[in-house]
Amino acid sequence: MLIDADAFQRVLGEELRKLRKQRGWTRKELNERLQSDISLQTLATYELGTRHCSVVRLVELCTALGEPPQDLLGRVHRRVFGDDPGQIRVNLASVVADDSPGLSPLRRWAEDRLQRSSSPEIQLDHSALERMAELCRMPTTQLLAKLAELSPGPGAATGDAHRHG
């Protein structure tokens, strides 16, 4: 399984931001609880997922937030690798290779994503699938069935079609 580093960083940032906001803290308040002296801009780039965070810095952030690092990483892993029931794994290369006329908007999107991503797979949530189905002018359940056909394997869109339909 290939790791989409961009997606992992983005989800890690989202989880860090969510933890900080759950505590009602600003970035400045979190920064004051850190052992290291880092800028508010650096904290912002971690939360945006645009800057890689070292393991030591991640542990420091988790400690300040009162969150075990393994719990945070577990949530990130589930979201990125599709163990999250709200996510559906889509094989972009398979979508690009499919010549179904109704999927042309999805195919153009998948081509663009493939050019910008290090992984041929992506995780999508149900709302993104609903928008894509709308663009393809088909019911969400039909799009899910087509994606399941194009993305076989564990954690793919299989079986989720009925749950999300």
Side-chain angles (χ1 to χ4, degrees), residues 68-161:
Q70 65 272 19
D71 292 355
L72 173 67
L73 287 173
R75 283 194 308 279
V76 171
H77 185 276
R78 283 188 297 280
R79 286 183 58 193
V80 172
F81 291 105
D83 301 336
D84 183 336
Q87 298 277 314
I88 290 146
R89 185 178 305 159
V90 176
N91 185 306
L92 296 169
S94 296
V95 171
V96 169
D98 185 77
D99 60 358
S100 301
L103 291 186
S104 61
L106 187 59
R107 203 170 20 260
R108 286 190 300 273
W109 170 82
E111 285 171 349
D112 180 60
R113 284 304 300 235
L114 265 177
Q115 290 174 358
R116 296 186 292 128
S117 178
S118 58
S119 171
E121 290 187 339
I122 189 168
Q123 295 296 126
L124 298 175
D125 63 22
H126 189 61
S127 63
L129 283 167
E130 286 175 335
R131 288 190 299 274
M132 288 179 179
E134 209 173 285
L135 285 172
C136 294
R137 295 191 170 115
M138 65 176 60
T140 305
T141 53
Q142 184 181 348
L143 179 60
L144 279 166
K146 184 64 177 174
L147 291 174
E149 179 185 310
L150 295 174
S151 302
T158 58
D160 286 342

Side-chain angles (χ1 to χ4, degrees), residues 16 34 53-70 72-73:
L16 285 169
L34 295 175
C53 185
S54 73
V55 173
V56 172
R57 179 63 49 85
L58 180 62
V59 170
E60 181 182 0
L61 286 166
C62 287
T63 300
L65 290 162
E67 180 78 4
Q70 65 272 19
L72 173 67
L73 287 173

